[in-house]
């Protein structure tokens, strides 16, 4: 008869070595998700300011991140990437050529950490529409990346503006989504800008979970 009972298999272990990364012995490192480790090196002082204070058309975008238990994710961080007020980029990858930013001092990128309500705020301008493939036009929008605890890779979504309903009807990204999902990407108007709530999870396919995109 063949013995099929489990065998004790030696598992490699490593002694704890006092010191730092230059003196420690090789060993397994703990797994970690995006948050809260982003606090170590990702923030910078002017990260939330995609445009300088006082810039023409300056608005505040507030993104609130909520988990599957409907609890604010207080250690979340968001990144935004967008065109300027004229729908242009100051970058050679823009097929129309790089353009001087509108308004002056505009930076297409923003980064901000959430507060105790799970809300992160970025100061920017409303972008212009963008040309897309096959003559289509993308409605004004802001690309939003979400870092948070429990997320191994950042999540990507979009923020659209509520007043652009005609542009939404022909936007190639929005129209690729079911009608029930499109409204989840439309921000609400506030006194000084716009706000969007991002729900990172919902067990109900028709629930509140925000649509996310692969890049």
């Amino acid at each position: 008869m063949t013995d099929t009972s489990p065998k004790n298999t030696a598992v490699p272990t490593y002694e704890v070595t006092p010191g730092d990364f230059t003196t420690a012995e090789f060993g397994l490192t703990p797994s970690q998700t995006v948050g809260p480790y982003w606090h170590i090196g990702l923030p910078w002082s002017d990260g939330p300011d995609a445009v300088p204070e006082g810039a023409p058309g300056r608005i505040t975008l507030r993104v609130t991140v909520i988990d599957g238990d409907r609890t604010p994710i207080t250690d979340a961080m968001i990144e935004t990437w967008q065109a300027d007020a004229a729908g242009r980029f100051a970058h050679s990858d823009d097929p129309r050529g790089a353009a001087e930013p509108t308004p002056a001092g505009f930076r297409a990128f923003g980064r901000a950490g959430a507060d105790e309500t799970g809300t992160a705020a970025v100061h920017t301008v409303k972008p212009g529409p963008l040309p897309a493939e096959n003559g289509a036009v993308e409605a004004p929008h802001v690309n939003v990346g979400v870092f948070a605890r429990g997320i191994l890779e950042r999540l990507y979504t979009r923020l659209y503006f509520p007043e652009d309903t005609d542009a939404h009807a022909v936007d190639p990204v929005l129209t690729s989504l079911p009608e029930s999902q499109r409204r989840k990407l439309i921000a609400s108007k506030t006194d000084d800008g716009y706000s969007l709530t991002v729900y990172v999870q919902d067990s109900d396919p028709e629930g509140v979970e925000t649509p996310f995109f692969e890049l």
Side-chain angles (χ1 to χ4, degrees), residues 42-63:
L42 292 183
W44 80 99
S45 58
D46 64 345
D49 296 311
V51 290
E53 187 172 355
R58 189 177 194 257
I59 59 175
T60 298
L61 301 182
R62 293 181 177 86
V63 177

Side-chain angles (χ1 to χ4, degrees), residues 28-116:
L28 297 176
T29 57
S31 62
Q32 62 186 46
T33 59
V34 171
Y37 299 97
W38 65 264
H39 290 280
I40 297 172
L42 292 183
W44 80 99
S45 58
D46 64 345
D49 296 311
V51 290
E53 187 172 355
R58 189 177 194 257
I59 59 175
T60 298
L61 301 182
R62 293 181 177 86
V63 177
T64 301
V65 186
I66 305 294
D67 69 12
D69 293 326
R70 304 298 181 270
T71 301
I73 302 180
T74 58
D75 63 1
M77 184 187 78
I78 66 160
E79 290 183 343
T80 61
W81 174 257
Q82 63 172 95
D84 68 8
R88 300 296 299 269
F89 292 96
H91 197 283
S92 58
D93 284 349
D94 188 324
R96 299 159 295 175
E100 288 297 318
T102 303
F106 169 78
R107 182 184 66 211
F109 180 78
R111 179 182 287 166
D115 61 17
E116 66 278 1

Side-chain angles (χ1 to χ4, degrees), residues 101-173:
T102 303
F106 169 78
R107 182 184 66 211
F109 180 78
R111 179 182 287 166
D115 61 17
E116 66 278 1
T117 70
T119 301
V122 169
H123 310 293
T124 185
V125 293
K126 181 181 176 180
L130 288 172
E133 295 180 352
N134 302 318
V137 177
E138 294 190 17
H141 67 275
V142 174
N143 299 304
V144 180
V146 179
F147 296 76
R149 55 180 160 80
I151 298 175
L152 294 175
E153 296 183 6
R154 78 185 78 178
L155 302 173
Y156 294 98
T157 189
R158 283 186 169 193
L159 179 156
Y160 287 86
F161 299 87
E163 62 270 21
D164 298 323
T165 52
D166 290 344
H168 296 166
V170 295
D171 180 272
V173 174

